[in-house]
């Protein structure tokens, strides 16, 4: 037989019970437990003590009713393969998990119509914020400007200067790559990249030439633009060899290109790194470890990019303020055998 006492023991303790025990209003309990709003220290301690005594456990639904928060972030990505998005998202998830915030991931594919569909879905779900990620570091159009929740862009940056974006410091990464080759005594450098129209290609080329100019140098061959692929890396190196120019270093704007370049050099019986040093960009483990020899490269700190973007989004949710502009995260040089001095 179930007694009234048993029923009371099984009844979930509510915020109202805590309010009654602490002698305050339910809204004050909400402020104290959620951290939203000003509550005197003594009052907050009394509420926390009452909650502990009663065994109160706030659930996310109840909390959302108090604060307007759903503890959910909507994510729109255009990276169908996930190579760049996954490490960015891992960094974001690590930061968001500290606040027990869930993510809803949608594949926008860079299509404004699809993105708008997902935005509408997010707003119906009452998400607390939106994170937008891309398949590379390039400018993209802003989402519509009248959204009722904060938006942060990661990797792909918004062209609207009023938006907040977090990206790797691509230019400084390329400077690091070029300085490293120069530090090994190599001065006759060539540059191979993906499509010339890509922001990453232009930015990495400009940074490479900037460092060379500081030494009174320039590339020994016109920069080569093609695909972000191993095939293009092989083809580009063959073009350089056939041109007859002397070169002792290759700056590649991606690890895929760099792996293709090292293969072409090996096929031409040009020793890497004894005769020519090769450096990539991305630190994509599949490419750098499978290359012979393993590739020196630039790590874009994608985990840190995701964590920084999530932190900015959380701060905007908590304070209602989002600092506009582009924040750049430091890249890291990873030395391996392809640029060793032998």
């Amino acid at each position: 037989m179930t007694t009234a006492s048993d029923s009371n023991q099984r009844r979930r303790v509510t915020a109202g019970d805590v309010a009654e025990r602490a002698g305050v209003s339910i809204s004050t309990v909400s402020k104290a437990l959620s951290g939203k709003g000003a509550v005197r220290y003594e009052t907050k301690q009394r509420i926390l003590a009452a909650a502990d005594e009663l065994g109160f456990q706030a659930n996310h639904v109840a909390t959302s009713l108090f604060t307007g928060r759903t503890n959910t972030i909507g994510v729109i990505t255009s990276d169908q393969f996930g190579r760049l998005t996954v490490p960015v998202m891992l960094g974001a998830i690590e930061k968001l998990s500290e606040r027990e915030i869930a993510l809803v991931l949608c594949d926008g594919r860079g299509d404004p119509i699809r993105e708008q569909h997902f935005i509408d879905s997010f707003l119906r779900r009452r998400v607390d914020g939106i994170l937008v990620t891309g398949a590379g570091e390039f400018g993209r159009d802003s989402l519509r400007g009248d959204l009722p929740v904060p938006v942060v862009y990661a990797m792909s940056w918004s062209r609207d200067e009023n938006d907040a974006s977090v990206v790797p410091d691509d230019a400084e990464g390329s400077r690091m790559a070029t300085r490293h080759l120069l530090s090994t005594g190599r001065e006759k450098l060539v540059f191979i990249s993906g499509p010339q129209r890509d922001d990453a290609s232009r930015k990495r080329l400009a940074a490479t030439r900037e460092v060379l100019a500081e030494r009174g140098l320039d590339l020994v061959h016109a920069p080569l633009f093609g695909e972000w692929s191993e095939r293009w890396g092989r083809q580009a190196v063959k073009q350089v060899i056939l041109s007859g120019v002397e070169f002792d270093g290759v700056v590649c704007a991606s690890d895929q290109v760099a792996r293709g370049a090292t293969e072409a050099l090996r096929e031409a019986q040009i020793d890497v790194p004894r005769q020519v040093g090769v450096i990539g960009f991305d630190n994509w483990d599949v490419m750098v470890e499978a290359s012979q020899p393993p590739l020196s490269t630039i790590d874009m700190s994608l985990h840190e990019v995701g964590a920084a973007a999530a932190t900015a989004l959380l701060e905007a949710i908590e304070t209602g303020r989002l600092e506009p502009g582009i924040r750049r995260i430091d890249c890291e040089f990873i030395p391996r055998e392809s640029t060793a001095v032998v």
Side-chain angles (χ1 to χ4, degrees), residues 60 64 67-73 100-102 125-128:
H60 294 312
S64 70
T67 65
R69 295 269 302 277
T70 60
N71 288 343
T72 306
I73 297 295
E100 297 185 348
I101 292 178
R125 290 170 177 264
R126 297 177 60 244
V127 299
D128 301 310

Side-chain angles (χ1 to χ4, degrees), residues 27-41:
S27 63
T28 301
V29 170
S30 170
K31 292 177 183 178
L33 298 182
S34 69
K36 302 279 285 186
V39 178
R40 291 180 57 189
Y41 176 79

Side-chain angles (χ1 to χ4, degrees), residues 124-202:
R124 286 194 297 270
R125 290 170 177 264
R126 297 177 60 244
V127 299
D128 301 310
I130 297 175
L131 179 63
V132 182
T133 70
E137 188 181 351
F138 53 82
R140 55 152 293 150
D141 291 336
S142 173
L143 301 184
R144 71 187 193 201
D146 59 345
L147 291 174
V149 296
V151 179
V152 174
Y153 301 79
M155 286 298 292
S156 298
W157 45 272
S158 171
R159 296 189 184 95
D160 188 333
E161 61 183 12
N162 294 312
D163 286 333
S165 305
V166 182
V167 301
D169 193 343
D170 238 29
E172 184 56 30
S174 296
R175 294 186 192 100
M176 293 167 64
T178 308
R179 289 179 185 131
H180 169 68
L181 284 177
L182 293 175
S183 72
T184 64
R186 301 174 172 101
E187 295 187 337
K188 300 173 183 177
L189 307 187
V190 298
F191 177 88
I192 307 173
S193 186
Q196 187 171 7
R197 65 177 180 275
D198 284 10
D199 291 324
S201 293
R202 294 196 296 268

